[in-house]
Amino acid sequence: MEIINLQEAYFRRYLLITKVVLVALFIVMHHLIITIPFLSQWIFFGVFVVLTGIPHGALDHEVAKQSSRLNQLNFSAVHFYIRYLTPMIVYGVCWFLLPTISLYIFLLLSAFHFGETDLPIPADQSSFTIIVLQTSYGLLVLFLILFLNLDEVLPIVDQINIFSPSLIRFLKSSTAASDSLIGASLFFLIALIAYFIAQQQITKMIKRIAILLAIVTISAVTLSLPISFAIYFGLWHSIISLENIRLHLSVSAKKEMTWLKLLAKCIPFTLFSFIGIFTLIFFWLA
């Protein structure tokens, strides 16, 4: 397990360097050489979503199966898919009935998911304080990307046109960005203080958080919504998630799972996800 943790640390370090270099290159290109065309920005976003975003969630069944094996438990594919798909179906219905509330829930779940990846904490140390810290961190990351590019977010919200008028009015107000970022920052600081009081271990965490938030802020301020989100979600979060899955499957199989084999495993369920996405879009636009 120590070797796995060391591999993960090295992987994160080199990926972080890659991320910094890519952000710097985009800033230089976009502001000093040539403005990146709007269509090219969204193509870049789409490419990363296809290559890493969707695949990073395509192997949940494999992770569950190998976790059961490691814990010497029986794994039932039928039970797994019932537990896996039922919340999705219920949540999908909620999007039609209560879209604004569903959006808030989606943001909180996404925030926790991002924080869980960026601030990995061993399962045996998990607590309510840690969950709140991870959620508040992820929410701040999301808000930095979204509200520092609010002029690009609003046309998307208008086009979707399903959210409550009060939310739309707030987003279009002159203080929406500042109020949201201040609120998210305060929430995060309170969670960080609570974590320090409970754990008394925060030095390494502060350093990691400062670096990650600085990169997110710089990319969100200097680059567009699709590029800054693609760099965080596609290049950072999804790749780290895939690496964690690769290491987990390597441990359970007692032999190294290569990236090529990992991506090959992702293909069938990634294709299935595409079919589901396009089906939903078709019925939504019909």
Side-chain angles (χ1 to χ4, degrees):
M1 190 60 68
E2 242 178 76
I3 295 175
I4 295 296
N5 291 336
L6 191 61
Q7 287 179 340
E8 183 184 357
Y10 277 123
F11 185 87
R12 283 174 178 267
R13 184 180 304 169
Y14 291 127
L15 186 62
L16 183 63
I17 293 171
T18 302
K19 182 180 177 182
V20 170
V21 170
L22 189 60
V23 169
L25 287 175
F26 267 113
I27 292 172
V28 170
M29 180 185 296
H30 192 60
H31 293 280
L32 300 179
I33 300 177
I34 184 172
T35 301
I36 302 173
F38 180 76
L39 180 60
S40 299
Q41 296 175 20
W42 283 103
I43 290 175
F44 177 77
F45 170 83
V47 166
F48 265 108
V49 169
V50 170
L51 291 180
T52 63
I54 293 177
H56 96 281
L59 293 176
D60 290 344
H61 67 293
E62 287 288 342
V63 174
K65 184 191 298 183
Q66 301 304 339
S67 294
S68 297
R69 180 184 298 174
L70 288 172
N71 294 317
Q72 298 181 336
L73 300 172
N74 292 326
F75 176 79
S76 169
V78 174
H79 290 163
F80 170 79
Y81 284 115
I82 289 175
R83 293 196 307 269
Y84 193 77
L85 295 175
T86 300
M88 290 186 181
I89 295 171
V90 172
Y91 187 58
V93 173
C94 288
W95 265 102
F96 284 98
L97 300 178
L98 302 165
T100 302
I101 294 175
S102 298
L103 173 66
Y104 297 151
I105 294 172
F106 173 74
L107 289 174
L108 285 174
L109 292 175
S110 300
F112 171 71
H113 185 51
F114 291 158
E116 190 180 28
T117 302
D118 281 8
L119 310 178
I121 296 170
D124 58 351
Q125 296 180 19
S126 182
S127 67
F128 178 74
T129 305
I130 290 171
I131 291 172
V132 172
L133 175 63
Q134 291 171 327
T135 303
S136 65
Y137 165 86
L139 198 64
L140 181 55
V141 167
L142 273 173
F143 277 23
L144 284 168
I145 295 172
L146 295 175
F147 283 98
L148 290 176
N149 292 284
L150 190 57
D151 56 332
E152 295 177 75
V153 172
L154 286 175
I156 298 173
V157 173
D158 282 336
Q159 192 170 10
I160 296 173
N161 195 30
I162 59 173
F163 302 118
S164 69
S166 58
L167 174 60
I168 302 301
R169 283 196 299 272
F170 169 73
L171 291 176
K172 291 183 176 181
S173 68
S174 59
T175 60
S178 57
D179 288 349
S180 299
L181 289 173
I182 290 172
S185 299
L186 288 175
F187 179 33
F188 171 67
L189 286 174
I190 292 170
L192 195 61
I193 292 169
Y195 174 80
F196 173 71
I197 293 172
Q199 303 292 329
Q200 298 292 317
Q201 295 175 349
I202 204 168
T203 306
K204 289 184 179 179
M205 183 77 73
I206 285 289
K207 182 180 177 182
R208 176 188 297 232
I209 288 171
I211 293 172
L212 293 176
L213 288 179
I215 296 170
V216 170
T217 303
I218 291 170
S219 64
V221 168
T222 58
L223 300 172
S224 65
L225 173 66
I227 293 178
S228 57
F229 188 77
I231 289 173
Y232 175 77
F233 178 69
L235 178 65
W236 177 255
H237 168 77
S238 298
I239 292 180
I240 285 180
S241 296
L242 283 168
E243 173 65 3
N244 290 341
I245 292 170
R246 188 188 72 81
L247 293 175
H248 179 81
L249 296 180
S250 296
V251 170
S252 60
K254 296 183 179 179
K255 63 179 181 179
E256 184 176 5
M257 168 76 68
T258 65
W259 266 88
L260 189 60
K261 289 181 180 179
L262 180 73
L263 294 177
K265 277 182 170 290
C266 290
I267 290 174
F269 290 91
T270 300
L271 293 176
F272 183 75
S273 298
F274 280 131
I275 293 172
I277 290 170
F278 287 125
T279 301
L280 287 173
I281 292 174
F282 174 78
F283 282 110
W284 184 276
L285 298 177

